[in-house]
Amino acid sequence: MNKISIIKASPQSLVGGQLNQMALEYMAYSLAGTKDTSIIEKTFNKLWRSKRNRFSHEYAYEAKMQNKTLGMIMCYPTTLMNKLALPTFTQLFELRNWSLIKYNLQHWKEFYSMVTLKEAKNDESHIGTLATLPESRGLGVGTQLIQFAEEQAVIQGFSKSSLTVKRENLLAIKLYERLGYQRVGEINKPSLSLYRMSKILV
């Protein structure tokens, strides 16, 4: 059986931006300022290749088998994630200009939910996005990526790992609970309903 390896993500990855989109689902609309799938794809591919934003390859790891990417996880200290909020918006504005502003004025509830989202506490290492390609399902890729992120958190001196998950994503919730994550809060905002989950690592 071929072994899955987890490595630091590459800016040249052909699916990094796509995996971020998959993880974000409908939240990608507000970030890209459109529902046009081709524009969303271009926007997230550019963010992936750039540095100093929440969706950059800098903070991601890829699960690979025979040189093919099967999934991706993005993880960072909460304090770093919060510091990346403004640079991320700045880069999005540079990419989308006034189209971003126009979309979010028209869909202000989505925008409000995004900018006021408090995903994690400062003493946690946070899993920002996690996604696997459909062809990797059943291989345990998601589990391996989460365990790898937890190892990175411990190396960086954190004793807690956290993530958020959409309340309707029952399969993901089941996986996280199986891996030791517990629901520690709810985030209920216009057009956005999430569970906050956390795990004690050491």
Side-chain angles (χ1 to χ4, degrees):
M1 184 175 174
N2 293 312
K3 183 174 167 51
I4 295 170
S5 58
I6 299 175
I7 64 169
K8 193 79 179 71
S10 165
Q12 280 77 44
S13 172
L14 299 176
V15 293
Q18 175 191 347
L19 287 163
N20 266 326
Q21 284 176 249
M22 288 172 60
L24 291 164
E25 296 180 7
Y26 56 82
M27 290 188 283
Y29 301 154
S30 290
L31 290 164
T34 183
K35 290 186 178 179
D36 184 316
T37 54
S38 64
I39 294 174
I40 294 172
E41 182 179 348
K42 288 177 185 175
T43 301
F44 277 92
N45 284 341
K46 287 180 180 176
L47 288 174
W48 175 264
R49 291 191 295 267
S50 300
K51 293 184 177 181
R52 295 293 299 170
N53 73 72
R54 270 198 63 172
F55 308 104
S56 167
H57 66 277
E58 284 187 293
Y59 312 109
Y61 297 89
E62 295 180 69
K64 300 181 83 88
M65 181 187 286
Q66 292 184 321
N67 212 33
K68 176 179 172 57
T69 298
L70 300 176
M72 175 276 299
I73 196 164
M74 194 155 287
C75 49
Y76 18 48
T78 298
T79 50
L80 173 58
M81 178 180 73
N82 292 337
K83 286 177 183 175
L84 292 171
L86 182 57
T88 301
F89 180 79
T90 301
Q91 289 183 37
L92 283 165
F93 183 73
E94 289 171 355
L95 292 170
R96 298 288 295 122
N97 304 117
W98 294 107
S99 296
L100 179 67
I101 303 299
K102 182 181 177 183
Y103 178 91
N104 283 310
L105 285 173
Q106 292 172 340
H107 303 84
W108 65 270
K109 288 183 179 180
E110 290 178 23
F111 181 68
Y112 169 80
S113 296
M114 293 295 294
V115 299
T116 59
L117 191 60
K118 300 293 183 189
E119 296 171 75
K121 295 185 177 180
N122 286 345
D123 63 344
E124 297 170 338
S125 178
H126 190 68
I127 295 172
T129 57
L130 167 67
T132 59
L133 293 174
E135 56 264 37
S136 74
R137 303 287 155 79
L139 297 176
V141 175
T143 296
Q144 290 186 52
L145 283 166
I146 291 169
Q147 290 171 341
F148 182 87
E150 292 170 358
E151 291 168 6
Q152 295 303 304
V154 171
I155 289 169
Q156 294 174 38
F158 290 93
S159 60
K160 285 194 288 185
S161 174
S162 67
L163 53 85
T164 57
V165 59
K166 296 177 184 70
R167 291 180 65 171
E168 65 270 23
N169 195 343
L170 300 180
L171 281 177
I173 292 168
K174 187 176 180 181
L175 168 65
Y176 302 146
E177 289 179 337
R178 181 171 61 78
L179 292 174
Y181 286 80
Q182 297 181 333
R183 300 179 202 181
V184 293
E186 295 184 24
I187 300 171
N188 294 300
K189 293 182 176 292
S191 73
L192 191 63
S193 184
L194 307 170
Y195 287 126
R196 208 178 81 74
M197 302 186 77
S198 183
K199 176 181 178 179
I200 303 296
L201 300 177
V202 291

